[in-house]
Each structure stands twice: as C-alpha cells, then as structure tokens.
Amino acid sequence: MIKRGDLYFPTKDFKKKAWLKDKKIYREAQKDPIKFWENLANELSWRKKWKKVFEHKPPYFKWFVAGKLNITENIFEKNSQGWEEIKNKTAIIWEPEPEKEKPIILTYQELFQRVNKLANGLKKLGVKKGDRVGIYLPMIPEVIISMLACARIGAVHTVVFSAFSSHALQIRLQDTEAKILITADGYYRRGQIINLKQAADEGIKETNVEKVLVVKRAGNQVSWDKNHDLWWHELVGKESDQCQPEIMDSEDPFFILYTSGSTGKPKGILHTCGGYTVQAKFTGKWIFDLKEDDILWCTSDVGWITGITYTAYSPLLNGVPTLFFEGAPDWPAPDRWAKIIEKHKVTTFYTAPTAIRMFEKYGTKVIEKYKFESLQLLGSVGEPIDESAWLWYFKEVGKERCPIVDTWWQTETGGILITSLPGIGPFKPAFTGLPFPGVKVEILNEKGKPCKENEAGNLVLLPPFAPGLLRGIYKNPQKYLETYWSQYGKKIYFTSDGAIIDKNGLIRIIGRVDDVIKMAGHRLSTGELEAAVNFHPDITECAVIGIPDEIKGEAPVVFIVYKGQKSVDEVKKEVIEHIKEEIGPIALPKEIYLVEDLPKTRSGKIMRRILKKLFTRATAKGEEEDKSSSPTDQELGDLSTLANPESVDELKKIIGKK
Ligand code: WT7
C-alpha cells in the first residue's frame, strides 16, 4: 500500500540501469561544485576551451569564461553520442491534432537539414549574430526548427506562447526590437482552427518587425501584405541544407524568454550559450535518466521554459527522440495522452500537476485499458504537486514501478535545480527532493538565518548557483538587482518561493511569496492582470488575488470597484474580453466580484492579504480540514489598521453567497 508521508526508493531494476545510483555524487559535487560543473562541461564539444570556470562579481557572474561553442553542433554533427550513431535515429516525433493526419517523424539528419535551410534563409533576410528573432508558433515541428536555426547562426530567439494575445506579442517584440517574426497561418485546438496570422498581424504593429515568415500549417485564409509577409516554404525551398555554425562565446546571449513578475510588465529573462547548454544537457541526462532507446514526452509548450529546455534542447543534446503534440491532452477524448504514450512507446513522461489532477478527475476507468508498459519514469513540474495527485500518478500511470521526479526550477534557472534523482531517491509525495549535485540552496527566515526543520522560509540559491541561471533581465538591470539580489544581499539569489525542509533534507515547495499566481503551472502576475482590468474606463479600482483551485492549483479572482451604469454581467463580460486581448485566454479569472470598496490601509494600500484570507481553504486535499467556511476575524488579522473595516463585511457577504 502506498501512503502519504512515506519515502519511496527506485526499484532494483530501475537502479540497475540508472546513470546515477550512488549517493556519493552529492558529496563529490559539494566538495567542489565549480570543478564538478567543469567536468560536465568537458563532455561537450567546445571550439575553444574556457580560461576560467566561474567568475563572480556580485550580483553578476559568468561561467566558462572565454569558452566558445555552438549548441547545435552539440546536438548534431558533434553530438556526444556520435553523429554516425544518431544521424538516422529519430529526433522528433510530432502528433498533429486532427486524427486523420499522420505524425511527422524526423531523424537527426533530416532535422539538421531543415535547420540549416532555415538558418540560410534567415541569413538571407539579413539576420546576424545577436539579432533578436520573434517566434510565435504553435506546437509544430517548425517551432523547434526555428529555435535551432536561430541558435545555428547566433540569433537570439524569443519564443512567444501561441495562446498569448497579439498585445502580449507586441510588447515582447517592442522590448526585443526583433526585425523578424516567424509565425503560422493557423493551428488546431480542440477541433477549431485558430487564426494565428491574424494575431501576428496585429502584434507587429508599432514594432520594428520588417519581415514575417509564415508557416503553412492549417491552410486557413490569411491576409497578406507583400511588403513584409513571406511563406516559409518559399524561403527555405531554394536554400542549401548546409550551414556553418556561428561560433558563440560562452556568455553571448542565447535566448530571451519573457515571464511574469510581481509588477505589471513581463520581464525578458536572458540566458547565455555555454552555461545553459551544460545544464540542459546534464539535468536531462541524469534526472530523466536518458538513454539511447528512450523517448521523452514533455507536454509543455515551447512558449514556456519547460518546453524550451525539456521539449527541445535537452533531449536533443542527449541524442534521444522528443515527442510533442498539437492541441490538448484530453481532446478529442480524455484518454488522448494515454493513447499517445502507448502508440509511440513513450518511456519518460513529464507533465504538470494540473494535467495529472485533470486525468485523475476523468476517472481511472478512462485509462483502464492502458498498461503503460513502455513507461519507465514520470516527472512533474510547474507548481506544487499535492499528495493525492502524486499518489494517483504513481499508482495509476507509473504502476508503482516508475520513479516520480518532482522537479523544481524557474524560467530564470534555465534547467531543473531541485529534485530527487531517479536511481537514488528517495521520493516523497509532495516533496521535490534534494538539490541537484553541485547546487547549493538554503531556506532562510526574514532575518536571513537558516530555518529549522519543517519551518517555512524563503528558498534561496548560494554561489556558485548553476551555470544556467539567468544573466539578466533584458534591458532592465535595475529590475534584475531588485528582484533577485536585494532581499539577502548581492551574493544570494532570491527565488520568490517559500519552502520547508524535512529531516531527510528533502525540500517541499510551498508556493510563491510574491504576487505571482501559478495557474495550471502557468506563471501570471497579479499586477499584470490588474493593469489589464484597470484599463476599463469605468473601473475605478481593482485587486487580483490567487486562490486555491482543485484542478489548476491556483486561479485568479478579480475584485472590481465599479461606479458606472452597466449591469454586472455586462461589466464582467467586458473585463473578460479585455483580459483576453491584453494577455490571452489562459489568464481568465475564476470569479469576478463587483464591490463597493476594497479593504485599504490608511495610507491607501489595498490589503490583498485580507482578500486572500477570505478565500483561503486547505489546498492539499484531505491533508487538513477544509477551512473554507468564513474565516474568523482573528484569522483575518488586525482589521483596526484599515481605513474602511466595513468593506470586509461586504466582502464576507458577497463571497459567502457563492
Ligand atoms: C515557479 C516558476 C520550472 C518550469 C516551469 C515553471 C513553481 C516550479 C515546481 C515544483 C512546486 C514549482 C515555483 C517557481 N514551481 N516547479 N516542482 N513544485 N512549485 O517555470 O513559469 O518560471 O515558474 O513555478 O513557484 O518559482 P516558471
């Protein structure tokens, strides 16, 4: 019987074949983490060796200083598995949404040729090393080809999640000053064709974009402007399938990915070439225990860092096939994901707790007929996984045979930093595990003192951090300093996550300590949502908080002070439309409340803490008693400091009515 609170260890069979099975790797790495990472870097192919492994001028640091490499050489012609060994092996397996369409399978050689053709095409359009290229593509093979083509020629890619709105695209293009955007006519999602080109046309307005390269995917009608639109197939058709790689400095910019922080505007997280490559390669190899006959299915879209690192770069650096898919895991039927695992004999399945809870909710009957014999390892990422979802995943999908790696990391860290290793363990439901070898973390209280066992505090990273940690926020050094290096000084990286550590040294992530909501694993900023809502001319004030959600982990709730004449339903509809336009449908709130007033301090600060308390329930199912009944005034804290305590009574009534 499997139970919460228990520790699990890998089975003998798993351990036998695992890359790492001995705990001594931790001690070795701890002794000299810099040396440890250097040894790993030595296994990659470099054009020029570094002069110094780690250089630290707080809050700035560098890895593999003066080393030169290109990540695509390490994926293709100089892959550590041997090019002759892998060139005819499958590199990507793509499952389209329409069932009548066949999957696309490309070998490493075929992928390489397509990457080179596009790389040459991009050069012809004038793209040079260091130029930013926007990629606004759905999950189709061209999205990975585009990223790799940029990497081949040293262009800096900025992937924008295809379900983001045109406005979200526009602000990213403006910030990066990209001159090229790669997009598609459309794509399939739950049986519909989504017209992506239309959103791209809107998104490039008032930006520096000169050329838009369009993949023909869904064949839908699109508007066309000869001055800047170009079909992908026409551009690459005539290009050579060979292209010399641009030799990159280890610290040259590699890619920028925008993510949400506490305040309004998304931040452009900057990753560099050398450190990222080392971390992507070895975290994948050891955490997913990647071997030549594995097939990795990471369900994340490449619009998020999980997809960039573990759908694209990491499996390819390790010479294994990566599977990815168009559409949704539960459409046209709730067992689509299970079907794909069996059809392609997926060995390694990496997804988010939200998806697991959704599969669980559909019921075990839906997957009764699947044996999942190919599966060897399961992964979870993006938000805390509650014990009940962990246990369901372990039993019903992993058949109590597959280790679960619950991996903690962030857009900023580039790759996984905390998780139990699959051949070593232990695995404990709801605990992510131990820091990856060579990574030093601590949990600190407000005063900067290490917390005791089971005492909640702030999770931080200590030098030398990890090679893949961000090097900056694009064009915003001040924000970099404030967000990560100001709470405990310039030598300690502040993760913005709360955590506890148990007696075995295993870490449990509690959740964000800033104003970031993790909805379905997606990172949303309450500030950004508030800005979107406040845009409405009749809305005088609003507040957004994240509240626990059974499936999505967390979901935003919006409180609006509205003084206009429209009906409640009308206002709600307008707000929803506006959020869709500003951010995208993924940010839609769970509830919208129209209120007379919001609780405020005498200095006029909205007390989101009180709003949140009014909503708080125990999240981990069954772990604690449900506290959803109206909180007592004691639980709400001291209300006497409020300028308007009566607002709380109104809120209690409104929320209670639900
Ligand atoms: C935030 C980062 C890391 C790739 C996907 C998300 C939360 C991430 C876990 C986990 C509990 C987790 C944290 C973190 N998070 N993984 N295994 N357990 N929480 O990247 O969008 O930058 O979000 O996701 O709160 O700070 P991201």
Side-chain angles (χ1 to χ4, degrees):
M1 252 292 275
I2 49 173
K3 294 193 307 310
R4 51 175 56 104
D6 280 356
L7 295 184
Y8 296 93
F9 290 90
T11 60
K12 272 208 192 85
D13 283 351
F14 191 93
K15 213 178 169 96
K16 216 172 7 181
K17 59 163 205 52
W19 282 116
L20 297 178
K21 42 196 137 215
D22 194 335
K23 276 196 286 207
K24 72 172 189 258
I25 182 91
Y26 288 107
R27 282 193 303 274
E28 272 170 25
Q30 205 64 15
K31 249 190 275 157
D32 190 347
I34 295 175
K35 184 82 202 147
F36 168 81
W37 287 111
E38 180 173 31
N39 290 341
L40 296 185
N42 270 322
E43 289 189 36
L44 287 169
S45 167
W46 295 76
R47 287 292 188 113
K48 201 168 144 226
K49 189 85 189 258
W50 48 90
K51 291 208 173 94
K52 198 172 172 194
V53 189
F54 180 68
E55 186 182 287
H56 196 187
K57 294 183 181 152
Y60 303 101
F61 59 92
K62 290 179 179 171
W63 280 90
F64 314 114
V65 182
K68 309 259 184 223
L69 84 170
N70 184 299
I71 192 168
T72 64
E73 272 198 318
N74 281 280
I75 288 173
F76 298 115
E77 67 268 51
K78 293 188 181 165
N79 190 300
S80 57
Q81 302 295 308
W83 182 235
E84 287 308 315
E85 307 300 316
I86 65 162
K87 72 179 194 200
N88 296 317
K89 235 185 101 172
T90 301
I92 64 179
I93 303 171
W94 175 67
E95 266 287 330
E97 184 179 278
E99 285 181 298
K100 58 178 197 311
E101 275 186 45
K102 287 216 171 61
I104 290 180
I105 296 178
L106 297 179
T107 64
Y108 272 84
Q109 173 90 24
E110 288 163 338
L111 179 63
F112 190 26
Q113 288 166 342
R114 289 177 200 215
V115 166
N116 285 338
K117 275 172 169 273
L118 179 65
N120 287 326
L122 290 175
K123 276 195 198 165
K124 204 157 274 173
L125 297 181
V127 180
K128 291 189 200 65
K129 177 177 172 180
D131 288 351
R132 276 81 55 216
V133 172
I135 301 178
Y136 187 49
L137 280 173
M139 288 300 273
I140 55 176
E142 286 81 356
V143 74
I144 290 188
I145 296 171
S146 300
M147 289 159 61
L148 295 170
C150 288
R152 189 79 180 166
I153 62 173
V156 178
H157 61 66
T158 290
V159 182
V160 181
F161 182 42
S162 55
F164 273 148
S165 67
S166 48
H167 176 75
L169 170 66
Q170 183 190 40
I171 53 181
R172 285 157 178 77
L173 292 173
Q174 284 170 339
D175 200 50
T176 53
E177 297 167 85
K179 292 200 196 86
I180 305 282
L181 177 68
I182 310 180
T183 189
D185 53 356
Y187 62 98
Y188 293 91
R189 173 99 187 158
R190 298 188 183 276
Q192 307 278 323
I193 292 181
I194 313 284
N195 187 334
L196 191 66
K197 174 70 166 47
Q198 193 178 0
D201 288 341
E202 279 297 308
I204 61 167
K205 286 184 184 158
E206 290 159 49
T207 70
N208 291 349
V209 172
E210 289 162 7
K211 290 282 174 228
V212 180
L213 193 57
V214 188
V215 178
K216 199 172 211 142
R217 157 66 190 125
N220 50 306
Q221 283 284 325
V222 293
S223 58
W224 203 255
D225 183 335
K226 276 207 196 101
N227 292 322
H228 55 68
D229 290 336
L230 251 153
W231 285 113
W232 167 297
H233 56 268
E234 286 175 9
L235 176 78
V236 302
K238 300 174 252 32
E239 294 300 333
S240 150
D241 60 10
Q242 291 182 24
C243 173
Q244 285 307 309
E246 187 73 38
I247 306 308
M248 306 299 285
D249 189 275
S250 175
E251 287 294 325
D252 273 338
F254 177 20
F255 66 86
I256 299 167
L257 184 67
Y258 284 79
T259 189
S260 297
S262 293
T263 45
K265 246 184 127 192
K267 305 176 290 194
I269 304 300
L270 177 71
H271 285 290
T272 49
C273 296
Y276 175 86
T277 304
V278 174
Q279 202 176 313
K281 158 108 189 179
F282 287 95
T283 50
K285 176 169 172 171
W286 286 350
I287 295 165
F288 298 118
D289 203 45
L290 296 177
K291 305 274 173 42
E292 45 177 344
D293 46 8
D294 279 328
I295 296 176
L296 173 67
W297 183 14
C298 164
T299 64
S300 173
D301 193 290
V302 292
W304 308 96
I305 191 74
T306 311
I308 293 204
T309 305
Y310 298 104
T311 307
Y313 290 115
S314 183
L316 297 175
L317 282 164
N318 284 291
V320 306
T322 177
L323 186 149
F324 57 106
F325 73 116
E326 181 184 45
D330 62 338
W331 201 92
D335 64 343
R336 180 176 184 215
W337 62 279
K339 232 183 196 163
I340 294 178
I341 291 176
E342 295 242 312
K343 176 173 167 190
H344 294 288
K345 303 204 167 40
V346 170
T347 59
T348 316
F349 183 57
Y350 188 35
T351 195
T354 294
I356 299 165
R357 289 189 292 261
M358 181 177 80
F359 303 153
E360 183 183 359
K361 202 164 181 193
Y362 279 127
T364 305
K365 228 179 148 27
V366 167
I367 52 165
E368 220 171 31
K369 62 173 192 262
Y370 300 97
K371 302 269 181 298
F372 298 127
E373 274 162 353
S374 62
L375 284 178
Q376 315 226 357
L377 189 151
L378 303 174
S380 173
V381 64
E383 50 179 318
I385 175 165
D386 51 275
E387 287 163 312
S388 135
W390 195 102
L391 294 168
W392 184 87
Y393 197 31
F394 185 67
K395 184 159 180 259
E396 304 298 340
V397 185
K399 308 293 181 195
E400 299 185 24
R401 170 180 44 108
C402 304
I404 296 181
V405 289
D406 172 10
T407 62
W408 176 89
W409 57 300
Q410 310 177 301
T411 306
E412 290 88 341
T413 69
I416 299 165
L417 291 191
I418 307 179
T419 181
S420 295
L421 290 171
I424 299 176
F427 318 105
K428 180 174 173 183
F431 281 73
T432 155
L434 299 170
F436 191 76
V439 175
K440 287 188 186 174
V441 312
E442 229 162 32
I443 297 171
L444 300 180
N445 67 17
E446 294 303 324
K447 295 203 179 86
K449 291 266 168 330
C451 291
K452 294 195 247 3
E453 241 173 68
N454 295 323
E455 185 195 342
N458 294 316
L459 178 69
V460 300
L461 307 179
L462 303 179
F465 318 113
L469 190 65
L470 84 161
R471 298 301 195 270
I473 293 179
Y474 194 61
K475 294 204 292 204
N476 203 340
Q478 191 54 31
K479 188 112 211 163
Y480 173 74
L481 196 69
E482 277 164 22
T483 315
Y484 310 110
W485 310 101
S486 62
Q487 292 77 2
Y488 296 115
K490 285 186 192 164
K491 288 186 190 154
I492 295 184
Y493 172 89
F494 185 75
T495 65
S496 295
D497 273 315
I500 55 167
I501 192 158
D502 79 354
K503 60 175 189 292
N504 307 299
L506 301 177
I507 292 168
R508 176 175 193 156
I509 305 293
I510 303 169
R512 301 284 301 196
V513 296
D514 58 0
D515 295 320
V516 162
I517 302 178
K518 295 291 316 211
M519 176 161 68
H522 298 152
R523 186 160 155 183
L524 301 172
S525 130
T526 52
E528 208 179 326
L529 269 157
E530 285 173 7
V533 176
N534 273 329
F535 203 74
H536 193 293
D538 292 340
I539 290 175
T540 40
E541 224 169 14
C542 78
V544 174
I545 56 160
I547 60 152
D549 180 275
E550 210 191 319
I551 298 287
K552 296 178 173 171
E554 259 191 312
V557 166
V558 182
F559 296 89
I560 291 171
V561 181
Y562 177 74
K563 306 279 187 206
Q565 303 301 315
K566 291 179 183 158
S567 75
V568 174
D569 284 345
E570 236 175 307
V571 178
K572 285 188 184 177
K573 223 170 102 197
E574 286 177 12
V575 165
I576 286 174
E577 275 317 304
H578 207 79
I579 293 175
K580 274 194 202 159
E581 271 169 37
E582 289 283 304
I583 307 171
I586 58 154
L588 290 185
K590 181 168 175 163
E591 298 277 355
I592 299 175
Y593 293 104
L594 268 60
V595 296
E596 284 293 315
D597 209 357
L598 288 165
K600 275 190 216 142
T601 60
R602 298 215 172 99
S603 57
K605 208 171 154 244
I606 299 175
M607 292 298 283
R608 291 178 183 76
R609 182 178 56 78
I610 290 179
L611 294 172
K612 209 166 165 145
K613 280 270 165 65
L614 285 164
F615 257 102
T616 301
R617 326 166 173 234
T619 29
K621 258 187 279 162
E623 194 189 0
E624 269 181 87
E625 285 302 299
D626 190 332
K627 295 202 189 102
S628 61
S629 53
S630 178
T632 61
D633 285 348
Q634 208 180 356
E635 280 172 324
L636 286 174
D638 185 7
L639 299 179
S640 65
T641 54
L642 290 182
N644 54 351
E646 63 290 350
S647 63
V648 175
D649 296 326
E650 187 208 356
L651 282 162
K652 273 192 197 163
K653 267 190 229 137
I654 296 181
I655 295 169
K657 254 195 239 154
K658 218 164 41 124

